Amino acid sequence: MIATRSLIRQNKRYAKLRWGSVLGRIAFSALANFTETFRFSVANGDLLFLESGWYVTHSGLMSLARRKRCAGISVQPVQPFCDPSAQRWAFEAKVYRSRACRGFVGFGDADPSNVSFLVQGAEMRVAETRAVNRALRKAYGIGICSVEEIGSRAEPLTSSPQSKKLPPQPTNGNYGGRTVRDHLCQLIRQHQLDATLVKSYATDFCGVKTLREATREQVESFVAHLADWASKDRDALLCQLNSYPNGKEGAA
């Protein structure tokens, strides 16, 4: 009980630091309930507060499964509903709480129409994660939705007014000129990001095979978007970057 009360106080403190006045009495009450029941940690990124509600993260669900000594998780594609050419995927996941458990089943699907533009190109991984999350939530009686199950709710950012004021640059492969390139390098150093993963993300963001094919406006938009996301929620940005393999092509 002492450890639980300490975790509740810690979660409230971190929640206030992160979301401030957005949180009300009802939100704090729900946070205390989730903390007591599942021992979720806000500091570890187990919970996020979005659109006036709490959401559990994939890492939070996996941590809970480890604490509960989950016996295993199996995942397989649902072939009749998969179409790789259209980036349409469906998976079935089964969570075994113990060796004698018959399993709790969850299904997840993803395609370009129901995922955020931030993860377009990784629909297969999104579908798999959604399936696992739903199976875990069913197995452990978690009523709140996971962050990864949220569909597309945002559109790509447009170029900022500041970027439009930059002088014209040549388009023969020098996609953003020294100013934009320096800004991007500064962001990578400042927030300690993996440069290779950032390039992979930029490639997907701009919808090109390599960054050399991207237009100046596309790269400026990406840099503005990266700066905004890194300053607001670096942990979520790292999650997005880690969804890309290190070997993906994308040279600056």
Side-chain angles (χ1 to χ4, degrees):
M1 286 297 295
I2 295 177
T4 299
R5 288 198 294 268
S6 175
L7 182 58
I8 290 175
R9 289 195 298 270
Q10 182 188 81
N11 278 348
K12 287 184 176 180
R13 183 169 66 253
Y14 275 99
K16 285 181 179 178
L17 289 173
R18 186 162 189 179
W19 294 288
S21 60
V22 176
L23 300 176
R25 182 175 56 84
I26 296 177
F28 280 118
S29 177
L31 176 60
N33 180 58
F34 296 140
T35 305
E36 183 175 1
T37 305
F38 304 111
R39 297 193 60 78
F40 287 141
S41 168
V42 174
N44 291 339
D46 295 345
L47 292 170
L48 289 177
F49 191 75
L50 303 170
E51 299 182 357
S52 303
W54 290 105
Y55 289 84
V56 63
T57 65
H58 178 67
S59 62
L61 290 170
M62 295 301 293
S63 296
L64 175 65
R66 286 192 293 271
R67 289 194 298 274
K68 296 291 186 179
R69 299 181 183 276
C70 175
I73 303 174
S74 65
V75 186
Q76 61 182 1
V78 184
Q79 294 294 350
F81 299 99
C82 294
D83 183 0
S85 64
Q87 288 296 316
R88 185 178 298 111
W89 300 92
F91 280 83
E92 175 190 10
K94 187 174 289 188
V95 171
Y96 302 92
R97 293 183 56 168
S98 66
R99 294 184 181 275
C101 177
R102 299 180 62 180
F104 293 84
V105 178
F107 292 92
D109 69 289
D111 62 62
S113 70
N114 67 5
V115 300
S116 168
F117 77 95
L118 299 175
V119 292
Q120 285 184 0
E123 286 82 0
M124 182 173 70
R125 190 165 299 181
V126 172
E128 184 178 6
T129 301
R130 286 174 174 174
V132 171
N133 286 3
R134 285 164 180 158
L136 286 169
R137 292 198 297 110
K138 185 183 294 185
Y140 296 106
I142 300 175
I144 57 174
C145 185
S146 72
V147 176
E148 290 77 12
E149 293 173 60
I150 301 176
S152 176
R153 296 183 179 178
E155 294 299 326
L157 297 177
T158 56
S159 300
S160 64
Q162 290 81 1
S163 66
K164 292 179 180 178
K165 295 178 181 178
L166 294 173
Q169 299 289 337
T171 58
N172 56 348
N174 187 4
Y175 60 86
R178 180 176 175 81
T179 302
V180 179
R181 183 188 294 271
D182 286 350
H183 189 191
L184 180 58
C185 292
Q186 180 185 5
L187 287 173
I188 292 173
R189 290 193 300 269
Q190 178 183 350
H191 299 284
Q192 298 181 345
L193 306 177
D194 186 302
T196 301
L197 297 181
V198 170
K199 292 174 185 176
S200 296
Y201 180 28
T203 302
D204 275 353
F205 184 94
C206 297
V208 294
K209 292 183 178 180
T210 68
L211 280 185
R212 296 183 186 280
E213 301 174 8
T215 65
R216 169 182 167 77
E217 290 74 17
Q218 285 176 319
V219 178
E220 287 175 349
S221 178
F222 171 75
V223 173
H225 161 72
L226 187 72
D228 181 68
W229 200 5
S231 63
K232 289 182 178 178
D233 195 340
R234 179 178 178 273
D235 290 340
L237 174 59
L238 290 178
C239 255
Q240 167 64 22
L241 293 178
N242 288 331
S243 69
Y244 294 97
N246 281 315
K248 184 170 181 181
E249 184 181 4

